[in-house]
Amino acid sequence: MLEGKNIVLGVCGSIAAYKSALLVRLLVKAGAHVQVVMTPDATNFITPLTLSTLSKNPALVNYFKPDTGEWNNHVELGIWADMLIIAPASANTLAKMANGLCDNLLLAVYLSAKCPVYFAPAMDLDMWLHPATRNNVSKLQSFGNTLIAPGNGELASGLYGEGRLAEPDEIVDYLSSALKKKLLLANQKVVVTAGPTYEAIDPVRFIGNHSSGKMGFAIADELATMGADVILITGPTAQVSKQYNVKRIDVTSAAEMLTACEHNFKDAKVCVMSAAVADYTPTHVAQQKIKKQDTGFNIELKKTTDILKFLGEQKAEGQLLVGFALETNDEEENAINKLKRKNLDFIVLNSLNDAGAGFKSDTNKITIIDRNLQKTVFELKSKDAVAHDICLKIAQLLKE
Ligand code: CTP
């Protein structure tokens, strides 16, 4: 999978930098073109000569070549790279990346890179567990950078715990399988909806629901790791996407979600409608805050457009439409009705009777029923693992 790939390997000042020699060797052996960029401190742990020899390319440290004064063009490097891997990534470099600092060549390449970025941290246990580091890692993930998690074991300090750089062969395996996965949906445009919708009653009140958006965001991220160009249309939520190829469109109401879906579905290959769209919206939205009265209070509601059904009517040959059904009774019968009524390729059924399934939890238990009424029942899993199952079904149907 790495054959012919242009890889910039960033090496930081950490004792684990000694492992970068083996990593370079494995990448070159796998057929990749490797350009090493070191932070100045990394040179205290391993020499540029070692990494230049193994990568067959002069390892770069400074903005200028010390002998000729020639410029090391970080922008060109950022464009040249198919992947940027920072291994080992020190706590200091992670903090600088998370905050956009740019005081060495590696950071300038990082800021210029247009390719997927992977970072494999290495540091002592307490540094790794510090809230500042945790925060920096989450921030980098929210930029779409991928964490290759450190391992557990004896650390250079003598402590035991998490913080050890992932082994070079594990890093190479990780990169290869990420590339392999990418081929499944490479460059396909997909639309995913997530979260609740809010239907305004007046300028301060709305009708909403408990959807957290977790399932939709997990699906969007998973489709992105399979190489799809994802348009994520989301209602109000605190979720953040972890993938760089997810373009987020924020909406509030069912009507706004409909407009965004209609606009984006036309040239999309797939649409996964996991949002909890309001079925009703107030007939009139008060322009000013409604004052309380001594009597009761009624709000007149009108139906919203069923977006999924609308898309099912527009669906062209070769497009794939996936819906969700959250049921409390006669689950399969209701789900099959929706599948047919909305012209879906498959429906993902959740039952509120299953413990661990539902809006706010981190887990879900699903049954997939496809257009041939073929049924697959899955175990209770994390929402990320459920997203993987759903996306594999999408990839399988696209192949057919
Ligand atoms: N959905 C939609 N637009 C709506 C309502 C729902 O696109 N206005 C989509 C949801 O995103 C989900 C699927 O339809 O994928 C199932 O939603 P649900 O509300 O359960 O379906 P209904 O047909 O409205 O059935 P019910 O009688 O259970 O409310």
Side-chain angles (χ1 to χ4, degrees):
M1 292 307 300
L2 293 165
E3 174 99 48
K5 290 277 178 275
N6 294 335
I7 297 181
V8 170
L9 174 65
V11 179
C12 305
S14 153
I15 183 60
Y18 80 92
K19 290 188 185 174
S20 56
L22 187 54
L23 180 56
V24 171
R25 183 80 199 97
L26 290 174
L27 291 171
V28 170
K29 235 171 117 181
H33 308 297
V34 181
Q35 174 62 64
V36 175
V37 180
M38 305 171 76
T39 65
D41 271 345
T43 61
N44 293 321
F45 292 90
I46 186 162
T47 67
L49 181 61
T50 305
L51 298 180
S52 302
T53 311
L54 291 171
S55 66
K56 305 180 171 78
N57 249 331
L60 306 175
V61 184
N62 302 305
Y63 281 108
F64 294 93
K65 294 192 172 70
D67 40 354
T68 61
E70 207 182 316
W71 182 35
N72 288 321
N73 191 331
H74 56 274
V75 178
E76 263 175 23
L77 272 174
I79 293 169
W80 172 83
D82 296 316
M83 302 175 119
L84 169 59
I85 307 157
I86 300 170
S90 63
N92 185 39
T93 293
L94 290 184
K96 289 182 187 175
M97 286 161 66
N99 290 288
L101 298 190
C102 190
D103 63 356
N104 63 43
L105 180 65
L106 176 59
L107 292 164
V109 174
Y110 168 69
L111 288 177
S112 310
K114 288 186 181 310
C115 59
V117 176
Y118 298 83
F119 61 102
M123 64 196 73
D124 208 31
L125 173 68
D126 295 319
M127 295 169 81
W128 174 242
L129 294 180
H130 196 282
T133 308
R134 314 261 23 100
N135 203 14
N136 290 333
V137 168
S138 306
K139 215 164 156 190
L140 291 174
Q141 288 179 307
S142 77
F143 298 162
N145 303 164
T146 304
L147 166 70
I148 302 180
N152 235 304
E154 189 180 357
L155 303 167
S157 62
L159 290 177
Y160 276 84
E162 236 181 35
R164 234 165 74 157
L165 178 68
E167 293 305 324
D169 55 344
E170 287 168 3
I171 296 178
V172 171
D173 283 351
Y174 190 99
L175 299 172
S176 302
S177 53
L179 283 173
K180 204 168 182 180
K181 217 171 164 193
K182 265 208 164 96
L183 291 180
L184 285 170
L185 293 173
N187 305 322
Q188 307 267 20
K189 179 178 172 184
V190 305
V191 174
V192 179
T193 66
T197 62
Y198 288 178
E199 307 304 316
I201 297 169
D202 69 13
V204 292
R205 302 180 182 93
F206 60 83
I207 299 171
N209 61 64
H210 289 299
S211 170
S212 63
K214 279 181 191 161
M215 196 64 248
F217 274 68
I219 292 169
D221 278 351
E222 185 62 17
L223 288 167
T225 64
M226 291 176 160
D229 294 324
V230 183
I231 305 288
L232 173 60
I233 301 169
T234 179
T237 170
Q239 301 296 315
V240 285
S241 170
K242 299 190 183 87
Q243 295 297 325
Y244 73 100
N245 47 337
V246 174
K247 186 179 159 220
R248 174 176 175 151
I249 299 174
D250 285 287
V251 297
T252 304
S253 64
E256 286 172 19
M257 189 170 275
L258 171 65
T259 307
C261 286
E262 191 180 0
H263 180 70
N264 282 288
F265 184 60
K266 285 185 200 107
D267 58 342
K269 190 78 187 159
V270 181
C271 175
V272 184
M273 198 71 210
S274 72
V277 188
D279 286 325
Y280 295 93
T281 191
T283 311
H284 302 291
V285 181
Q287 293 308 303
Q288 279 161 358
K289 189 181 165 201
I290 300 169
K291 289 289 178 196
K292 64 176 166 296
Q293 296 150 8
D294 290 336
T295 54
F297 178 62
N298 293 316
I299 302 172
E300 191 183 297
L301 301 175
K302 61 178 182 192
K303 278 213 74 181
T304 57
T305 302
D306 186 326
I307 303 172
L308 190 57
K309 188 160 175 284
F310 172 80
L311 297 179
E313 286 156 5
Q314 315 289 313
K315 191 171 74 169
E317 182 81 28
Q319 280 187 309
L320 218 86
L321 193 56
V322 180
F324 275 69
L326 178 63
E327 305 291 341
T328 54
N329 56 291
D330 304 320
E331 289 94 333
E332 281 185 32
E333 192 187 326
N334 285 333
I336 290 171
N337 274 338
K338 280 177 198 172
L339 174 86
K340 290 182 176 164
R341 188 157 40 89
K342 303 192 188 193
N343 190 22
L344 308 181
D345 295 280
F346 71 87
I347 192 154
V348 181
L349 165 64
N350 302 126
S351 168
L352 270 189
N353 297 319
D354 288 323
F359 275 156
K360 293 234 160 112
S361 80
D362 287 325
T363 54
N364 205 354
K365 179 162 177 17
I366 62 159
T367 299
I368 289 181
I369 304 174
D370 70 18
R371 57 194 175 210
N372 302 319
L373 301 188
Q374 206 178 342
K375 187 179 91 175
T376 316
V377 182
F378 294 87
E379 299 296 308
L380 181 74
K381 296 180 180 189
S382 71
K383 283 192 171 164
D384 287 345
V386 170
H388 183 66
D389 292 332
I390 294 169
C391 296
L392 278 184
K393 179 75 183 176
I394 292 172
Q396 180 206 326
L397 288 185
L398 282 180
K399 259 197 219 152
E400 285 173 12

